[in-house]
């Protein structure tokens, strides 16, 4: 028979191994014969909540991010504002632009993971992280630092054309160059550029 103490130890171990999991409640019910039942979905009022436990992994993709346009996103925006401002100053970026890219990329979720393997606030791919010396893509400071440096280089490469720099951040600089220094004709990139510029205008 499982005991609450054993469950708690098991769950604590899982939480340590997988810190990015969602939480739910666990309920206990003892019937008239003394049988003990545990569930996260109680079906009658006889169940009593005993613990909170990790229930399911949350993997993030561009279509599944922390809620945008809500207090939750705004809370995280404020939380990382000092890091964003510092990186913007270091790499001569408009802080509003860096905020706009982060909002579009991850909605300020430092644990965001896309289905292509991009990670963190600025959604860095492994090769981009390596290129800019980012060792831990989940670390907000390192992630913002690497993404800001990359964005700054793109702005320089495209002669301060923010629209092209943002397009290159999404599709890669080679694709922007390939299409004659224009936003590539990819629906995802065109929508991304429009979204970032919209946020940029709002943050300014």
């Amino acid at each position: 028979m499982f005991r609450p103490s054993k469950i708690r130890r098991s769950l604590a171990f899982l939480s340590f191994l997988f810190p990015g999991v969602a939480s739910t409640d666990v309920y206990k019910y003892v019937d008239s014969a003394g049988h003990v039942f545990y569930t996260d979905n109680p079906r009658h009022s006889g169940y009593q909540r005993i613990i909170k436990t990790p229930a399911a992994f949350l993997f993030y993709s561009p279509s599944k991010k922390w809620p945008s346009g809500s207090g939750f996103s705004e809370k995280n925006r404020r939380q990382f504002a000092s890091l964003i401002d510092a990186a913007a100053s270091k790499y001569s970026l408009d802080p509003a632009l860096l905020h706009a890219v982060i909002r579009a990329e991850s909605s300020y979720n430092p644990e965001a993971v896309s289905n292509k393997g991009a990670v963190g606030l600025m959604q860095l791919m492994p090769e981009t992280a390596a290129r800019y010396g980012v060792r831990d893509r989940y670390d907000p400071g390192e992630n913002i630092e690497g993404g800001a440096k990359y964005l700054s280089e793109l702005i320089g490469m495209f002669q301060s054309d923010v629209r092209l720099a943002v397009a290159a951040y999404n599709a890669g600089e080679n694709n922007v160059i390939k299409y004659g220094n224009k936003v590539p004709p990819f629906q995802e990139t065109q929508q991304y550029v429009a979204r970032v510029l919209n946020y940029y205008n709002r943050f300014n």
Side-chain angles (χ1 to χ4, degrees), residues 122-179:
M122 297 198 71
Q123 290 290 274
L124 300 183
M125 295 293 286
E127 55 271 22
T128 306
R131 179 177 169 185
Y132 294 101
V134 176
R135 293 171 296 178
D136 182 358
R137 290 183 292 158
Y138 288 98
D139 180 90
E142 286 194 49
N143 192 287
I144 293 170
E145 173 87 9
K149 188 173 183 180
Y150 180 37
L151 184 60
S152 176
E153 288 190 3
L154 291 173
I155 288 176
M157 180 182 299
F158 295 106
Q159 301 179 345
S160 299
D161 189 321
V162 171
R163 191 163 176 266
L164 293 184
V166 169
Y169 194 91
N170 175 261
E173 55 266 40
N174 291 333
N175 274 320
V176 174
I177 295 169
K178 175 183 176 181
Y179 288 98

Side-chain angles (χ1 to χ4, degrees), residues 179-192:
Y179 288 98
N181 282 344
K182 296 180 180 178
V183 176
F186 311 143
Q187 183 178 10
E188 176 191 335
T189 301
Q190 292 178 350
Q191 291 176 346
Y192 174 83

